[in-house]
Amino acid sequence: MATVWKIRFFTHKLVQNGGTKLKTEWSLDVLYKGLDDPAYEKDMQGLSEQMEQLKALIGEVGLSEKDKTEQILKAMETFSQIATRLVNYVGLAQSVDTENGELMAQINRINRIFSTYSPVETAARKCLTQIGELDALAKESDIVRDNLFFLKENQEKAKHLLPEAVEEMAAAMDITGGKAWGNLFSYLTSTVKVDYQGEVITLSKVRSMAYSPDAKERKAAYEAEIASYTKIEDSLAFALNNIKSQVAMMSEKRGYESPLAMTLEESRMSRKTLDAMMEAIKEYLPVFRKYLRKKGEMLGYSNGLPWYELFAPVGTSDKTYTIEEAKDYLLKCFNTFTPDMADMMKEAFENEWIDFYPKNGKEGGAFCAGLIEKKQSRILTNYDGYFGSIGTLAHELGHAYHNRQLEGKNALKYDYPMPIAETASTFNETHLGRYALNQATDEEKVTLLENDLREQTQCIVDIYSRYLFETSVFEEGKNKFLMAADCKELMLKAQKEAYGDGLDENCLHPYMWACKSHYYSSGLSFYNFPYAFGNLLALGLYDKFLQEGEAFVPKYKAMLSATPECTMEQAGAMVGLDLTSVEFWKRSLAMIAEHVEEFCDLGGNK
């Protein structure tokens, strides 16, 4: 990820439109000017210094409980603040330059420091569990009061901590274990050569062709994509097995019932809420299948939709947008929600927050990273100009808006659980879709509704299939090593159960496990149901916005601000929603069902 330092010496592409210029690659200078920036090395040294300071504090016996607690919290906060800067920088730089060995070396260097810090943090957390009366101490100390949720949650999490020496060994071994397998996935999928009609292209580029208006191109791209996985499938299967085996072992050692139970606790989400959502989704799967069959009919298929047509544009509009036009569209749209959202979007476009276009060595997909200390975010996309890319920008800028609500908080409050992480982003997609529909003619609505339902199907049905697949990998992996053929079989089974007769069962995607980074993390399992959770919660929140108008916005922002310090159920309660109720999730799904009926009615006239 040795090559010339590309992050520092970017030659920016410029988009010129009406006299304005937008740079299409992000700048990371707000963090560091490069690996040779003195501030970078200073922070690297600062990590070690804070670690030693924390270690000394843990062994200090001459401090009062109040003083010791305050100083430990300050040291942990400072370490977290520095670490966040460093991780953001090298991670973002590597995401657009995955073959840069110097960056990979720095990632490993940081991981080694983290492995050394892990037992120190464990000891610090154990020390914090010794506090006698937290509520009483919070009345005496502003710092304790500010971190009261963290301290109480820490006492609960302490039940799952291993002895310090074991924590240290586990963290060290993860560098060449789970993390290394995850790095292998990123390397293989970003560098595999895809043979497409006499050209050699990237996996991210061929996958983006799924949105092409040309049916022949979509099918050819699908076939080229599937063929490309045969080059790396065995390596990816080994990576998947070893990561999931490590996760299963560690969750058992920590005393969790299962990896899913561990994920739910880390997500601050009850099993009752997850089960309620899944029950509602399963009940509404026929609605999505109806949409898929209708789309198939409109495209000339009678046996369900082939996989390579899932993202096919439908309707008369194949309009593309420059990034300047995308910016203008988003600003107009989100001014109708709240002006401060539009202001933040303007800042993102004009101040080099976004890396837009695909290129060799750049990761596929899209993400948003919060630089909360700097009151900014960074967004990676693989922009192709179609309306779906505007939706992706709206989605990622929703994450940035969530990050904005955390500005001013200490570094121990930068993180929020996985499920709520996808709420602000999908709320933005919902608002964008409604805004576009309200301005559309019937002819245009076919395209807009299909765009929306296409993404809803991904967030609900495909996510359901991914949840089923990951569940089966953990179950099957208890007794056998899953070869590539086994992974493909489990994926096809999950897709058939989720999509049913909505798709042509003879044309599915057996390699969906090989192209999704969410499966390849030793520290993050089941990163699938949070998308469905965020999507359906966003619909419930948007329904509240439609009912309450401007009065809803302060409550929404307060909820987002509170997410580092509350459970999912508490977050819902802040805006009047009961997330443990199946009926809540059904009401959100019913909003999608209305669009399915409208699409089928309009599509029947085409």
Side-chain angles (χ1 to χ4, degrees):
M1 225 218 10
T3 61
V4 176
W5 177 241
K6 296 181 181 179
I7 299 299
R8 188 178 182 192
F9 300 112
F10 271 147
T11 299
H12 292 284
K13 298 175 184 176
L14 298 179
V15 172
Q16 216 166 338
N17 219 327
T20 61
K21 296 180 180 180
L22 294 178
K23 293 180 179 178
T24 66
E25 294 173 327
W26 60 29
S27 169
L28 303 180
D29 287 357
V30 69
L31 294 169
Y32 308 102
K33 300 296 191 296
L35 291 179
D36 57 354
D37 186 336
Y40 178 84
E41 195 58 38
K42 180 180 179 181
D43 274 352
M44 290 294 293
Q45 295 300 318
L47 279 185
S48 298
E49 291 169 5
Q50 285 302 129
M51 183 166 56
E52 291 304 317
Q53 181 180 339
L54 185 57
K55 192 184 298 185
L57 281 168
I58 294 165
E60 178 62 58
V61 294
L63 293 173
S64 68
E65 182 180 67
K66 174 176 176 291
D67 288 344
K68 189 169 185 176
T69 301
E70 288 182 339
Q71 290 186 41
I72 287 175
L73 286 171
K74 286 178 182 177
M76 291 179 72
E77 179 187 342
T78 302
F79 184 94
S80 181
Q81 190 173 45
I82 297 171
T84 299
R85 283 198 297 269
L86 291 166
V87 167
N88 272 329
Y89 182 74
V90 296
L92 289 167
Q94 193 267 348
S95 71
V96 294
D97 192 11
T98 58
E99 296 181 70
N100 189 319
E102 193 173 3
L103 286 170
M104 286 301 299
Q106 290 301 312
I107 289 173
N108 289 334
R109 180 185 179 192
I110 293 170
N111 283 336
R112 284 194 295 271
I113 294 175
F114 285 170
S115 70
T116 306
Y117 177 69
S118 182
V120 179
E121 182 187 25
T122 299
R125 285 177 173 272
K126 284 186 176 180
C127 188
L128 293 174
T129 64
Q130 305 304 313
I131 300 170
E133 293 292 337
L134 271 174
D135 289 323
L137 188 59
K139 293 177 181 178
E140 303 175 19
S141 168
D142 291 341
I143 296 173
V144 172
R145 185 163 58 252
D146 186 45
N147 290 284
L148 190 57
F149 182 89
F150 167 82
L151 289 166
K152 288 185 174 181
E153 185 177 52
N154 178 67
Q155 290 187 337
E156 287 298 311
K157 287 183 175 180
K159 300 172 184 176
H160 300 289
L161 287 174
L162 300 172
E164 292 172 28
V166 180
E167 289 287 354
E168 182 174 11
M169 180 176 291
M173 293 183 70
D174 188 41
I175 295 174
T176 53
K179 281 190 173 70
W181 288 113
N183 289 338
L184 178 64
F185 165 83
S186 296
Y187 176 79
L188 289 174
T189 54
S190 63
T191 59
V192 65
K193 294 176 172 58
V194 181
D195 301 307
Y196 176 75
Q197 298 187 341
E199 291 184 74
V200 176
I201 61 176
T202 63
L203 186 59
S204 62
K205 184 173 181 179
V206 80
R207 283 179 57 77
S208 72
M209 292 179 185
Y211 295 87
S212 169
D214 185 332
K216 291 182 179 179
E217 183 173 90
R218 293 193 298 271
K219 184 177 181 181
Y222 163 82
E223 291 170 347
E225 179 197 351
I226 295 297
S228 71
Y229 292 118
T230 62
K231 302 174 183 179
I232 57 176
E233 63 177 2
D234 291 333
S235 297
L236 292 177
F238 269 72
L240 184 66
N241 276 270
N242 285 297
I243 290 169
K244 295 310 181 190
S245 178
Q246 178 177 315
V247 169
M249 177 187 66
M250 290 305 298
S251 67
E252 180 181 356
K253 296 296 184 184
R254 293 187 184 282
Y256 291 101
E257 180 184 343
S258 65
L260 177 59
M262 181 169 66
T263 297
L264 286 169
E265 182 170 310
E266 291 170 350
S267 299
R268 302 190 198 131
M269 179 176 170
S270 72
R271 182 64 186 261
K272 185 176 181 181
T273 292
L274 177 64
D275 289 345
M277 182 181 73
M278 289 301 177
E279 180 181 336
I281 287 173
K282 190 171 183 179
E283 183 175 328
Y284 270 79
L285 288 175
V287 171
F288 293 93
R289 294 166 185 168
K290 181 177 181 178
Y291 148 70
L292 291 168
R293 289 194 303 273
K294 170 56 68 175
K295 179 171 181 175
E297 291 171 12
M298 293 170 70
L299 293 173
Y301 301 97
S302 58
N303 194 34
L305 194 67
W307 186 279
Y308 56 79
E309 298 289 39
L310 267 173
F311 304 105
V314 169
T316 57
S317 175
D318 58 358
K319 180 179 178 181
T320 59
Y321 299 78
T322 66
I323 61 171
E324 180 70 29
E325 290 167 336
K327 169 194 162 189
D328 291 343
Y329 194 97
L330 288 170
L331 296 189
K332 289 175 184 176
C333 171
F334 284 92
N335 258 317
T336 66
F337 172 58
T338 179
D340 69 331
M341 174 79 80
D343 290 343
M344 184 209 69
M345 289 180 165
K346 184 173 185 290
E347 183 181 357
F349 273 89
E350 295 181 357
N351 290 0
E352 301 173 80
W353 288 19
I354 309 173
D355 198 283
F356 285 94
Y357 295 115
K359 62 183 177 183
N360 289 336
K362 179 178 176 178
E363 288 185 6
F367 65 76
C368 174
L371 313 185
I372 297 168
E373 179 192 12
K374 305 297 183 181
K375 300 185 178 180
Q376 298 182 22
S377 290
R378 289 297 180 269
I379 292 166
L380 178 144
T381 73
N382 282 272
Y383 190 81
D384 65 7
Y386 293 106
F387 190 80
S389 280
I390 297 181
T392 298
L393 283 167
H395 178 103
E396 301 305 337
L397 287 162
H399 286 303
Y401 191 69
H402 195 164
N403 295 336
R404 177 130 290 178
Q405 308 317 310
L406 307 183
E407 291 172 6
K409 293 181 180 291
N410 76 59
L412 298 177
K413 299 181 183 180
Y414 285 173
D415 292 330
Y416 37 83
M418 286 194 301
I420 207 74
E422 295 301 330
T423 299
S425 53
T426 42
F427 183 97
N428 272 20
E429 287 189 78
T430 302
H431 185 68
L432 175 70
R434 300 282 169 141
Y435 174 84
L437 280 172
N438 288 338
Q439 302 178 70
T441 64
D442 282 352
E443 192 77 14
E444 293 167 334
K445 280 183 180 179
V446 173
T447 301
L448 291 170
L449 283 167
E450 202 286 315
N451 285 342
D452 176 59
L453 292 173
R454 182 175 63 203
E455 297 307 314
Q456 296 286 5
T457 300
Q458 287 298 295
C459 281
I460 305 301
V461 186
D462 200 64
I463 288 301
Y464 185 67
S465 75
R466 296 187 214 177
Y467 174 76
L468 293 175
F469 171 77
E470 189 160 359
T471 299
S472 66
V473 167
F474 276 117
E475 286 300 313
E476 295 290 326
K478 290 177 181 178
N479 304 312
K480 64 182 292 188
F481 188 93
L482 300 174
M483 302 302 291
D486 299 313
C487 295
K488 288 188 285 185
E489 182 180 345
L490 291 177
M491 180 54 75
L492 289 174
K493 181 181 178 181
Q495 288 173 355
K496 289 175 182 177
E497 185 173 342
Y499 285 98
D501 61 2
L503 293 185
D504 181 347
E505 67 173 16
N506 297 311
C507 188
L508 300 175
H509 196 311
Y511 287 104
M512 281 298 287
W513 58 275
C515 60
K516 294 296 178 183
S517 62
H518 303 87
Y519 297 125
Y520 296 85
S521 169
S522 59
L524 198 63
S525 302
F526 287 98
Y527 201 177
N528 36 62
F529 70 77
Y531 283 97
F533 179 100
N535 186 62
L536 295 175
L537 177 55
L539 286 172
L541 291 167
Y542 198 76
D543 187 47
K544 285 280 187 181
F545 168 63
L546 294 177
Q547 294 173 34
E548 301 175 10
E550 291 182 11
F552 168 79
V553 177
K555 290 190 288 185
Y556 177 61
K557 293 170 69 173
M559 185 203 78
L560 295 178
S561 179
T563 52
E565 302 177 88
C566 69
T567 67
M568 299 302 94
E569 293 75 21
Q570 289 168 339
M574 289 181 69
V575 288
L577 302 175
D578 179 7
L579 305 189
T580 65
S581 166
V582 177
E583 293 307 311
F584 163 71
W585 301 105
K586 287 183 180 179
R587 285 195 297 272
S588 291
L589 286 157
M591 295 172 71
I592 302 173
E594 291 175 7
H595 278 183
V596 170
E597 292 303 318
E598 188 176 3
F599 172 75
C600 289
D601 289 344
L602 291 170
N605 300 323
K606 301 303 165 191

